[in-house]
Amino acid sequence: MPTPLPAPYLIAASPAAAALIGLDAAALGAEDFVATLSGNRVPLAAQPLAAVYSGHQFGVWAGQLGDGRAILLGELATPDGPLELQLKGAGATPYSRMGDGRAVLRSSIREFLCSEAMAALGIPSSRALAVTGSDQGVLRESMESAAVVTRMAPSFVRFGSFEHWFYREQTAELKILADYVIDAFYPQLRREANPYQALLAEVARRTAHTIAHWQAVGFMHGVLNTDNMSILGLTLDYGPFGFMEAFDARHICNHTDQQGRYSYAMQPEIGHWNCYALGQALLPLIGEVSAAQEALDVYQPAFAARMDQLLHQKLGLDTALDTDAVLFDAMFALMQANHVDFTLFFRRLGDLRVDEPAADAPLRDLFIDRPAFDAWAAQYRQRLRREGSADAARRAAMNRVNPKYVLRNYLAQVAIEKAQKKDFTEVERLLSVLARPYDEQPEHEHYAALPPDWASHLEVSCSS
């Protein structure tokens, strides 16, 4: 059961997430709703539970983990299928180990905003209905205030949910879980000769596609442990995440990750590694190692194909040529050498005019080595001419896939610092801006600017 929070209050609610379950976000400020979203009032039909799972953390088997601060209230029927409602930070569970089961304001606001920002970007993700707070103190590196995020997803089952039963050699429970996942979310797989092999292949494909979308917008998860990997291919568990700013393929967004296991460049490989961990767990059901390997072989071509598709879209290319990989590689090498802002580069690239290099100034100014940019831009223009690209149509298409607004760490930090003073207006404003990441929104132009110098000193870790 949730542990009540003293005198809870609503910090923010997501209109888009509320609409998924037939609610008006404005209604969530009512006393009964705030009490429910804070764990102070359990709905009559709810039977709260916490799920057990295990996992590999930073590549090392960590054994039993489980929902240490997440409590599932239950499942709601929606026109698009059932959604589970989960309170994160609502108190201790049987799996809290040495923890207090609480979440703090700063991490809760970050998860709330990023869950909704990722959904608005069109990337598979758990959702965040609301975040509530309390003046109750929670001790981390210092004393902070408590908060609860109400998360939603069709399922919170993880790769580690299967690993738990495999490593305990409880094959009957492993089969119950696999059958539940197949019947609830992948019923079409029942027609396959080996549904468990087909499950592994489908999860590998979805994982590859989701991580390709991360790479395409510069998102870094930060903690790609197997217990943070969704069996539905959703982006799950927003902790020390970050969006790429000054491009560095080796960038590590998680201060705890000293070895760089979960750097931007490593994410696709780690996604594949985690699928192997899931394959190992499913092996008693799949039967043959060769059948599991066949399923896992789906991952790399699925990632490569989706990444290639996304890069063509980001550069406004309607056709695909064998030589395009050379153009893409040269682009990333140029971005790396100049540490160009990831989001601004792709957004401004849409403004490039095929026959007017003089108009490149806002894009060109992102580069230290401008002659090097000019040389690459000449290759890009040649490629655009080859397919008869029209500037206006290409720009419109590129602006539909290259966001202008992402949740930069410093934007979240500004909202957090105001919220710590009980001013929640910036959380609401940022939520509204991020709900339309591809729109120009000229009144919010400053949210798309280069980060200030102080932003480079921000660090996020696993500690919240």
Side-chain angles (χ1 to χ4, degrees):
M1 294 294 287
T3 304
L5 271 179
Y9 45 81
L10 182 69
I11 293 170
S14 165
L20 295 175
I21 56 174
L23 291 177
D24 181 348
L28 297 180
E31 185 177 345
D32 279 355
F33 270 123
V34 172
T36 300
L37 300 176
S38 304
N40 292 23
R41 172 184 173 272
V42 176
L44 290 176
Q47 293 180 305
L49 62 85
V52 67
Y53 48 81
S54 297
H56 284 85
Q57 298 192 324
F58 293 92
V60 177
W61 177 243
Q64 181 175 303
L65 301 165
D67 287 334
R69 55 176 172 174
I71 297 173
L72 187 70
L73 289 183
E75 185 179 83
L76 287 177
T78 81
D80 296 318
L83 280 175
E84 293 181 354
L85 263 65
Q86 188 184 80
L87 303 181
K88 182 175 180 179
T93 77
Y95 311 115
S96 295
R97 303 183 297 282
M98 300 299 290
D100 56 18
R102 291 298 187 193
V104 298
L105 181 67
R106 59 185 165 94
S107 63
S108 299
I109 287 175
R110 282 171 54 83
E111 175 150 13
F112 172 74
L113 289 173
C114 200
S115 299
E116 294 306 284
M118 290 288 274
L121 287 167
I123 298 173
S125 175
S126 59
R127 301 298 296 268
L129 175 64
V131 57
T132 60
S134 167
D135 293 339
Q136 183 181 61
V138 177
L139 183 61
R140 294 298 183 260
E141 285 94 343
S142 59
M143 190 63 73
E144 302 186 51
S145 58
V148 176
V149 180
T150 302
R151 307 197 296 186
M152 304 193 304
S155 176
F156 288 93
V157 171
R158 304 137 186 279
F159 288 16
S161 306
F162 292 86
E163 289 184 290
H164 180 76
W165 303 114
F166 169 76
Y167 283 96
R168 290 167 66 102
E169 299 182 356
Q170 293 182 246
T171 306
E173 286 80 359
L174 179 68
K175 185 176 185 302
I176 289 169
L177 178 62
D179 287 339
Y180 162 72
V181 168
I182 291 171
D183 293 340
F185 306 107
Y186 301 107
Q188 73 279 9
L189 302 185
R190 282 291 174 207
R191 298 191 294 269
E192 301 292 334
N194 187 334
Y196 307 111
Q197 178 196 31
L199 173 64
L200 178 59
E202 179 62 16
V203 174
R205 183 188 67 82
R206 288 196 184 198
T207 301
H209 285 177
T210 295
I211 294 181
H213 281 277
W214 292 357
Q215 302 298 103
V217 298
F219 174 78
M220 296 161 285
H221 185 282
V223 199
L224 279 180
N225 297 331
T226 57
D227 55 292
N228 293 336
M229 298 292 293
S230 162
I231 202 67
L232 302 182
L234 306 175
T235 311
L236 191 66
D237 290 346
Y238 292 91
F241 65 83
F243 281 87
M244 183 71 74
E245 293 179 335
F247 184 75
D248 178 4
R250 300 178 298 273
H251 182 69
I252 305 164
C253 68
N254 179 0
H255 184 62
T256 309
D257 183 13
Q258 298 291 332
Q259 304 304 313
R261 177 180 176 84
Y262 300 141
S263 67
Y264 173 81
M266 285 292 291
Q267 286 187 141
E269 182 179 332
I270 294 300
H272 198 195
W273 192 96
N274 288 340
C275 287
Y276 265 87
L278 177 62
Q280 176 73 46
L282 286 172
L283 196 55
L285 306 181
I286 293 173
E288 299 292 332
V289 171
S290 58
Q293 182 62 59
E294 182 182 334
L296 291 165
D297 287 344
V298 166
Y299 181 93
Q300 287 180 318
F303 175 82
R306 181 55 59 90
M307 196 71 221
D308 184 68
Q309 176 191 43
L310 292 171
L311 285 175
H312 277 85
Q313 291 175 357
K314 289 180 77 64
L315 270 70
L317 299 173
D318 294 329
T319 58
L321 300 177
D322 291 342
T323 54
D324 288 344
V326 176
L327 181 70
F328 299 158
D329 289 346
M331 175 188 70
F332 282 116
L334 184 65
M335 293 171 68
Q336 177 78 40
N338 289 264
H339 294 296
V340 174
D341 187 87
F342 189 97
T343 302
L344 283 176
F345 169 74
F346 283 108
R347 186 70 177 194
R348 292 184 185 178
L349 189 62
D351 294 329
L352 181 141
R353 301 173 195 169
V354 172
D355 296 318
E356 296 182 52
D360 289 348
L363 173 61
R364 192 172 184 263
D365 286 349
L366 294 173
F367 291 83
I368 298 169
D369 187 349
R370 287 166 186 168
F373 165 76
D374 293 338
W376 180 83
Q379 297 174 33
Y380 179 48
R381 282 188 162 88
Q382 184 179 4
R383 175 66 179 85
L384 293 174
R385 290 190 188 100
R386 187 169 178 177
E387 66 177 22
S389 182
D391 289 343
R394 185 183 66 256
R395 181 186 183 213
M398 290 174 70
N399 284 355
R400 287 194 292 269
V401 297
N402 291 320
K404 182 169 183 174
Y405 302 97
V406 295
L407 184 58
R408 296 174 182 268
N409 270 341
Y410 88 91
L411 294 176
Q413 186 63 26
V414 170
I416 289 166
E417 289 178 5
K418 289 188 176 183
Q420 288 170 336
K421 299 173 184 175
K422 298 289 183 66
D423 178 358
F424 308 131
T425 56
E426 189 64 17
V427 176
E428 293 278 6
R429 189 177 301 112
L430 200 46
L431 177 69
S432 177
V433 171
L434 295 171
R436 298 187 292 130
Y438 300 104
D439 294 353
E440 280 297 327
Q441 303 187 64
E443 70 278 20
H444 297 306
E445 190 74 26
H446 60 287
Y447 286 102
L450 283 169
D453 290 341
W454 61 263
S456 63
H457 302 296
L458 290 174
E459 292 182 345
V460 288
S461 69
C462 298
S463 68
S464 66

